[in-house]
mmCIF file of all heavy atoms in Angstrom:
data_model
loop_
_atom_site.group_PDB
_atom_site.id
_atom_site.type_symbol
_atom_site.label_atom_id
_atom_site.label_comp_id
_atom_site.label_asym_id
_atom_site.label_seq_id
_atom_site.Cartn_x
_atom_site.Cartn_y
_atom_site.Cartn_z
ATOM 1 N N SER A 75 67.597 137.959 141.352
ATOM 2 C CA SER A 75 66.185 137.723 141.638
ATOM 3 C C SER A 75 66.013 136.896 142.911
ATOM 4 O O SER A 75 66.852 136.072 143.256
ATOM 5 C CB SER A 75 65.544 136.992 140.457
ATOM 6 O OG SER A 75 64.240 136.600 140.793
ATOM 7 N N GLN A 76 64.888 137.118 143.594
ATOM 8 C CA GLN A 76 64.582 136.338 144.792
ATOM 9 C C GLN A 76 63.637 135.175 144.485
ATOM 10 O O GLN A 76 63.293 134.419 145.370
ATOM 11 C CB GLN A 76 63.956 137.256 145.866
ATOM 12 C CG GLN A 76 64.925 138.305 146.392
ATOM 13 C CD GLN A 76 66.162 137.675 147.022
ATOM 14 O OE1 GLN A 76 66.060 136.761 147.825
ATOM 15 N NE2 GLN A 76 67.330 138.181 146.653
ATOM 16 N N GLU A 77 63.217 135.054 143.223
ATOM 17 C CA GLU A 77 62.365 133.938 142.812
ATOM 18 C C GLU A 77 63.242 132.839 142.219
ATOM 19 O O GLU A 77 64.182 133.114 141.479
ATOM 20 C CB GLU A 77 61.360 134.401 141.756
ATOM 21 C CG GLU A 77 60.323 135.370 142.297
ATOM 22 C CD GLU A 77 59.323 135.723 141.221
ATOM 23 O OE1 GLU A 77 58.665 134.784 140.708
ATOM 24 O OE2 GLU A 77 59.214 136.910 140.888
ATOM 25 N N PHE A 78 62.900 131.571 142.565
ATOM 26 C CA PHE A 78 63.727 130.443 142.142
ATOM 27 C C PHE A 78 62.935 129.448 141.312
ATOM 28 O O PHE A 78 61.737 129.295 141.489
ATOM 29 C CB PHE A 78 64.308 129.730 143.370
ATOM 30 C CG PHE A 78 65.211 130.603 144.191
ATOM 31 C CD1 PHE A 78 64.711 131.327 145.266
ATOM 32 C CD2 PHE A 78 66.555 130.709 143.886
ATOM 33 C CE1 PHE A 78 65.531 132.138 146.014
ATOM 34 C CE2 PHE A 78 67.380 131.513 144.633
ATOM 35 C CZ PHE A 78 66.876 132.233 145.707
ATOM 36 N N GLU A 79 63.626 128.764 140.400
ATOM 37 C CA GLU A 79 63.059 127.687 139.609
ATOM 38 C C GLU A 79 63.701 126.373 140.045
ATOM 39 O O GLU A 79 64.798 126.369 140.614
ATOM 40 C CB GLU A 79 63.377 127.878 138.122
ATOM 41 C CG GLU A 79 62.794 129.125 137.529
ATOM 42 C CD GLU A 79 63.196 129.266 136.079
ATOM 43 O OE1 GLU A 79 64.402 129.278 135.782
ATOM 44 O OE2 GLU A 79 62.293 129.361 135.250
ATOM 45 N N GLN A 80 63.010 125.261 139.748
ATOM 46 C CA GLN A 80 63.605 123.966 140.036
ATOM 47 C C GLN A 80 64.822 123.768 139.139
ATOM 48 O O GLN A 80 64.808 124.088 137.958
ATOM 49 C CB GLN A 80 62.589 122.849 139.796
ATOM 50 C CG GLN A 80 63.108 121.498 140.191
ATOM 51 C CD GLN A 80 62.059 120.405 140.056
ATOM 52 O OE1 GLN A 80 60.946 120.640 139.595
ATOM 53 N NE2 GLN A 80 62.412 119.214 140.457
ATOM 54 N N LEU A 81 65.881 123.252 139.695
ATOM 55 C CA LEU A 81 67.130 123.086 138.974
ATOM 56 C C LEU A 81 67.423 121.605 138.774
ATOM 57 O O LEU A 81 67.294 120.804 139.705
ATOM 58 C CB LEU A 81 68.269 123.730 139.791
ATOM 59 C CG LEU A 81 69.637 123.793 139.162
ATOM 60 C CD1 LEU A 81 69.633 124.698 137.933
ATOM 61 C CD2 LEU A 81 70.646 124.325 140.177
ATOM 62 N N PHE A 82 67.792 121.210 137.551
ATOM 63 C CA PHE A 82 68.179 119.840 137.251
ATOM 64 C C PHE A 82 69.678 119.821 136.977
ATOM 65 O O PHE A 82 70.175 120.628 136.204
ATOM 66 C CB PHE A 82 67.432 119.311 136.021
ATOM 67 C CG PHE A 82 65.951 119.223 136.242
ATOM 68 C CD1 PHE A 82 65.116 120.274 135.894
ATOM 69 C CD2 PHE A 82 65.407 118.081 136.807
ATOM 70 C CE1 PHE A 82 63.755 120.191 136.091
ATOM 71 C CE2 PHE A 82 64.037 117.990 137.011
ATOM 72 C CZ PHE A 82 63.209 119.048 136.667
ATOM 73 N N VAL A 83 70.388 118.908 137.609
ATOM 74 C CA VAL A 83 71.837 118.822 137.452
ATOM 75 C C VAL A 83 72.193 117.447 136.923
ATOM 76 O O VAL A 83 71.694 116.434 137.419
ATOM 77 C CB VAL A 83 72.547 119.066 138.804
ATOM 78 C CG1 VAL A 83 74.050 118.949 138.647
ATOM 79 C CG2 VAL A 83 72.175 120.425 139.373
ATOM 80 N N TYR A 84 73.025 117.402 135.908
ATOM 81 C CA TYR A 84 73.471 116.142 135.328
ATOM 82 C C TYR A 84 74.988 116.070 135.438
ATOM 83 O O TYR A 84 75.682 117.018 135.113
ATOM 84 C CB TYR A 84 73.063 116.039 133.851
ATOM 85 C CG TYR A 84 71.572 116.115 133.672
ATOM 86 C CD1 TYR A 84 70.937 117.323 133.407
ATOM 87 C CD2 TYR A 84 70.792 114.972 133.809
ATOM 88 C CE1 TYR A 84 69.564 117.391 133.257
ATOM 89 C CE2 TYR A 84 69.421 115.035 133.662
ATOM 90 C CZ TYR A 84 68.818 116.247 133.389
ATOM 91 O OH TYR A 84 67.460 116.301 133.254
ATOM 92 N N ASP A 85 75.476 114.950 135.894
ATOM 93 C CA ASP A 85 76.913 114.747 136.010
ATOM 94 C C ASP A 85 77.276 113.540 135.152
ATOM 95 O O ASP A 85 76.771 112.448 135.357
ATOM 96 C CB ASP A 85 77.283 114.496 137.473
ATOM 97 C CG ASP A 85 78.784 114.414 137.682
ATOM 98 O OD1 ASP A 85 79.535 114.799 136.767
ATOM 99 O OD2 ASP A 85 79.201 113.970 138.759
ATOM 100 N N VAL A 86 78.133 113.753 134.177
ATOM 101 C CA VAL A 86 78.525 112.675 133.276
ATOM 102 C C VAL A 86 79.961 112.293 133.609
ATOM 103 O O VAL A 86 80.865 113.117 133.531
ATOM 104 C CB VAL A 86 78.425 113.122 131.802
ATOM 105 C CG1 VAL A 86 78.854 112.008 130.875
ATOM 106 C CG2 VAL A 86 77.009 113.570 131.498
ATOM 107 N N ASN A 87 80.146 111.056 134.009
ATOM 108 C CA ASN A 87 81.483 110.576 134.360
ATOM 109 C C ASN A 87 81.939 109.512 133.377
ATOM 110 O O ASN A 87 81.201 108.615 133.032
ATOM 111 C CB ASN A 87 81.486 109.963 135.774
ATOM 112 C CG ASN A 87 81.344 111.025 136.824
ATOM 113 O OD1 ASN A 87 82.104 111.976 136.847
ATOM 114 N ND2 ASN A 87 80.358 110.868 137.672
ATOM 115 N N SER A 88 83.162 109.628 132.973
ATOM 116 C CA SER A 88 83.861 108.611 132.190
ATOM 117 C C SER A 88 83.059 108.084 131.008
ATOM 118 O O SER A 88 82.471 107.015 131.049
ATOM 119 C CB SER A 88 84.288 107.451 133.077
ATOM 120 O OG SER A 88 85.144 106.615 132.351
ATOM 121 N N LEU A 89 83.079 108.839 129.942
ATOM 122 C CA LEU A 89 82.436 108.391 128.712
ATOM 123 C C LEU A 89 83.342 107.471 127.898
ATOM 124 O O LEU A 89 82.913 106.890 126.915
ATOM 125 C CB LEU A 89 82.046 109.594 127.856
ATOM 126 C CG LEU A 89 80.926 110.452 128.430
ATOM 127 C CD1 LEU A 89 80.712 111.686 127.573
ATOM 128 C CD2 LEU A 89 79.648 109.668 128.543
ATOM 129 N N TYR A 90 84.601 107.306 128.312
ATOM 130 C CA TYR A 90 85.532 106.487 127.545
ATOM 131 C C TYR A 90 85.043 105.062 127.316
ATOM 132 O O TYR A 90 85.103 104.563 126.199
ATOM 133 C CB TYR A 90 86.918 106.475 128.202
ATOM 134 C CG TYR A 90 87.589 107.822 128.179
ATOM 135 C CD1 TYR A 90 87.843 108.508 129.351
ATOM 136 C CD2 TYR A 90 87.970 108.405 126.977
ATOM 137 C CE1 TYR A 90 88.454 109.752 129.332
ATOM 138 C CE2 TYR A 90 88.572 109.642 126.946
ATOM 139 C CZ TYR A 90 88.827 110.312 128.127
ATOM 140 O OH TYR A 90 89.423 111.529 128.099
ATOM 141 N N PRO A 91 84.546 104.352 128.348
ATOM 142 C CA PRO A 91 84.098 102.974 128.087
ATOM 143 C C PRO A 91 82.985 102.890 127.040
ATOM 144 O O PRO A 91 83.012 102.013 126.180
ATOM 145 C CB PRO A 91 83.614 102.489 129.458
ATOM 146 C CG PRO A 91 84.375 103.313 130.440
ATOM 147 C CD PRO A 91 84.520 104.658 129.778
ATOM 148 N N SER A 92 82.029 103.813 127.088
ATOM 149 C CA SER A 92 80.944 103.756 126.107
ATOM 150 C C SER A 92 81.458 104.078 124.707
ATOM 151 O O SER A 92 81.011 103.482 123.725
ATOM 152 C CB SER A 92 79.813 104.707 126.493
ATOM 153 O OG SER A 92 80.239 106.060 126.387
ATOM 154 N N GLN A 93 82.402 104.993 124.602
ATOM 155 C CA GLN A 93 82.955 105.326 123.296
ATOM 156 C C GLN A 93 83.754 104.152 122.730
ATOM 157 O O GLN A 93 83.678 103.849 121.555
ATOM 158 C CB GLN A 93 83.847 106.572 123.389
ATOM 159 C CG GLN A 93 83.105 107.817 123.821
ATOM 160 C CD GLN A 93 81.926 108.116 122.930
ATOM 161 O OE1 GLN A 93 82.078 108.349 121.739
ATOM 162 N NE2 GLN A 93 80.734 108.111 123.493
ATOM 163 N N MET A 94 84.501 103.489 123.607
ATOM 164 C CA MET A 94 85.276 102.330 123.157
ATOM 165 C C MET A 94 84.363 101.191 122.720
ATOM 166 O O MET A 94 84.691 100.444 121.802
ATOM 167 C CB MET A 94 86.217 101.872 124.268
ATOM 168 C CG MET A 94 87.343 102.859 124.526
ATOM 169 S SD MET A 94 88.342 102.419 125.948
ATOM 170 C CE MET A 94 89.128 100.938 125.371
ATOM 171 N N ALA A 95 83.208 101.059 123.373
ATOM 172 C CA ALA A 95 82.282 99.984 123.037
ATOM 173 C C ALA A 95 81.539 100.261 121.729
ATOM 174 O O ALA A 95 81.198 99.346 121.003
ATOM 175 C CB ALA A 95 81.279 99.777 124.169
ATOM 176 N N ASN A 96 81.295 101.535 121.422
ATOM 177 C CA ASN A 96 80.427 101.872 120.298
ATOM 178 C C ASN A 96 81.126 102.404 119.050
ATOM 179 O O ASN A 96 80.486 102.575 118.024
ATOM 180 C CB ASN A 96 79.384 102.891 120.756
ATOM 181 C CG ASN A 96 78.463 102.303 121.807
ATOM 182 O OD1 ASN A 96 77.954 101.206 121.637
ATOM 183 N ND2 ASN A 96 78.264 103.011 122.900
#
Side-chain angles (χ1 to χ4, degrees):
S75 172
Q76 294 301 312
E77 292 183 59
F78 298 93
E79 298 178 303
Q80 185 175 4
L81 186 65
F82 296 93
V83 179
Y84 300 94
D85 186 14
V86 179
N87 289 306
S88 190
L89 291 175
Y90 294 114
S92 68
Q93 297 305 298
M94 291 174 68
N96 296 312

